Amino acid sequence: MEMRISFVSLIPDAGHVIPLLRIASTLACKETECRFILPEEGRNLPATHGFEFDLLPPVLPADAESLLKKISHTSPLYRKLFFNRYFETRYFQPIQYQGLSSLPLLKDKIQQQEPDLIIADEHLLGAAVHHLGGQLGVPVLLHRASGSNQQCQ
């Protein structure tokens, strides 16, 4: 019997989706059915790798691209002292709000996929996905990409 796994990332950024794609690629070679559920902005990532996917509404703030560019050009010390709080407020809080608003739809999509297991990105909303898995009786494995939320040195 083929195992079915739903991969969930409520953050559509490549740093959160690509590690899940790597896991799915390895498991797909083992005759495991792998499907993704992610916000609309992330649709190209699973499609490019040949995976089926279901979409949730967009989550990124309108100025996401400029915010990401700013943080990538900010020195680690300045980021730690000043920019992290600004980025948290302008980038991650809107994603978290939109992601939490999408939980009823996520629950429906998980039920439609009928997975044996959910593998989800842990960052920001991992606990919410874990709770949904518990409600649906589906085990959840939370993945944390190394470096995705580590403290600045």
Side-chain angles (χ1 to χ4, degrees):
M1 178 168 86
E2 186 175 88
M3 184 174 198
R4 292 182 310 272
I5 300 176
S6 292
F7 287 84
V8 176
S9 180
L10 296 173
I11 303 174
D13 297 337
H16 296 272
V17 179
I18 288 175
L20 297 177
L21 285 166
R22 289 184 179 141
I23 296 168
S25 295
T26 300
L27 294 172
C29 294
K30 310 265 187 234
E31 297 190 23
T32 301
E33 181 185 324
C34 300
R35 293 185 56 134
F36 280 77
I37 303 171
L38 68 167
E40 192 173 305
E41 299 95 339
R43 74 179 328 135
N44 292 337
L45 291 166
T48 302
H49 291 81
F51 289 105
E52 292 184 32
F53 57 90
D54 290 314
L55 295 174
L56 299 170
V59 297
L60 293 179
D63 59 346
E65 194 170 318
S66 70
L67 287 167
L68 289 172
K69 193 176 288 187
K70 280 180 188 176
I71 199 166
S72 69
H73 292 92
T74 303
S75 73
L77 178 61
Y78 184 81
R79 190 180 312 148
K80 184 171 184 136
L81 293 175
F82 304 106
F83 197 72
N84 278 352
R85 176 58 57 199
Y86 173 80
F87 191 73
E88 176 77 24
T89 303
R90 298 284 310 273
Y91 190 78
F92 285 121
Q93 285 181 359
I95 289 173
Q96 196 166 22
Y97 175 79
Q98 295 299 331
L100 288 170
S101 300
S102 297
L103 289 179
L105 181 58
L106 174 61
K107 184 177 181 180
D108 291 344
K109 292 190 179 293
I110 291 171
Q111 287 175 311
Q112 290 168 7
Q113 289 188 4
E114 298 179 332
D116 301 303
L117 175 67
I118 298 166
I119 299 179
D121 176 49
E122 184 261 353
H123 192 69
L124 283 184
L125 296 162
V129 176
H130 188 266
H131 180 73
L132 277 181
Q135 288 180 335
L136 298 171
V138 180
V140 177
L141 178 67
L142 296 175
H143 178 269
R144 177 184 291 179
S146 62
S148 65
N149 67 346
Q150 292 183 3
Q151 302 262 337
C152 296
Q153 300 296 323

